[in-house]
Amino acid sequence: MDAEAQENFREFVANRSSALLKTAVLLSGGDRHAGEDLLQNALIKAAGRWHRIDEPEAYVRQVLYRQQVSRWRLKWPRRELSVAEPPETGAAPDTSGAAELRLVMRGALARLTARQRTVLVLRYFEDLPEGEVARILGCSVGTVRSATHRSLARLRALAPELAALGPAADEQRPSRDYSPVEVRQ
């Protein structure tokens, strides 16, 4: 890589790494260290092809998604032993509803499988359409829909407290006025 390309790469990393790290951490189930590893590997791959990349951020995000997919396709996934949280240090708890929601969501995402987490991050955090998620994951749109549905159901089952922290389910759904359909024989 020549000096100009190195400088462009350094600028890209300085400007976009925090946004990319957020995505990587979410893909890793809220584990910051695993997210940093995921992003570092993606940036290493991007550095090797830097002179051929037209859209660096799109390329790095694609590498992030594919690496995460590869992780949950491993025959023997490497699992780390989870330990209990360290005790509080006596600081006053954060009473902000948003902070509590974030913590509950992080814990719930960590309890999902990597595939479920990836589908939810792509659909709702990255706000990608189903077709784009299907293209990234290498599956059909129907598979994305069913995986999203199952993932949301599992998330609701694992963390029912999310319903209490967020807006009421009835307030989120638009009311539908269904008229009876006449059945002819």
Side-chain angles (χ1 to χ4, degrees):
M1 186 181 321
D2 63 359
E4 183 181 342
Q6 281 183 345
E7 184 58 34
N8 288 341
F9 181 74
R10 283 188 185 123
E11 284 180 26
F12 171 76
V13 171
N15 293 334
R16 299 304 304 152
S17 63
S18 63
L20 292 168
L21 181 60
K22 287 178 186 177
T23 300
V25 168
L26 285 172
L27 287 170
S28 300
D31 183 350
R32 183 170 177 88
H33 298 292
E36 288 171 350
D37 289 343
L38 190 65
L39 178 59
Q40 183 176 13
N41 290 336
L43 290 174
I44 288 170
K45 288 185 179 188
R49 298 179 169 259
W50 190 253
H51 62 281
R52 292 181 278 183
I53 299 174
D54 293 330
E55 296 181 36
E57 185 163 354
Y59 180 85
V60 172
R61 286 182 184 278
Q62 185 75 20
V63 172
L64 285 172
Y65 305 144
R66 288 187 178 175
Q67 282 182 336
Q68 186 60 27
V69 167
S70 294
R71 283 184 180 180
W72 46 261
R73 284 186 178 162
L74 289 174
K75 187 173 182 178
W76 293 287
R78 291 178 274 165
R79 302 215 187 252
E80 294 182 15
L81 179 62
S82 298
V83 296
E85 294 288 329
E88 294 296 325
T89 60
D94 187 356
T95 57
S96 164
E100 184 178 352
L101 179 61
R102 228 177 6 259
L103 291 172
V104 170
M105 181 59 82
R106 175 183 282 173
L109 282 173
R111 290 183 281 177
L112 293 176
T113 65
R115 181 181 181 117
Q116 291 171 330
R117 192 171 43 249
T118 301
V119 169
L120 291 179
V121 168
L122 291 174
R123 283 289 291 132
Y124 298 108
F125 180 73
E126 292 290 325
D127 199 27
L128 296 177
E130 291 168 338
E132 182 68 14
V133 174
R135 187 187 63 73
I136 289 169
L137 297 179
C139 61
S140 69
V141 173
T143 301
V144 170
R145 287 180 184 154
S146 63
T148 302
H149 175 75
R150 285 191 307 271
S151 300
L152 285 173
R154 176 113 193 269
L155 186 67
R156 288 183 188 112
L158 288 174
E161 62 269 26
L162 287 174
L165 294 173
D170 294 287
E171 295 172 10
Q172 292 178 349
R173 294 190 182 121
S175 63
R176 295 184 184 172
D177 185 19
Y178 292 106
S179 59
V181 177
E182 186 178 317
V183 179
R184 297 180 188 192
Q185 294 183 1

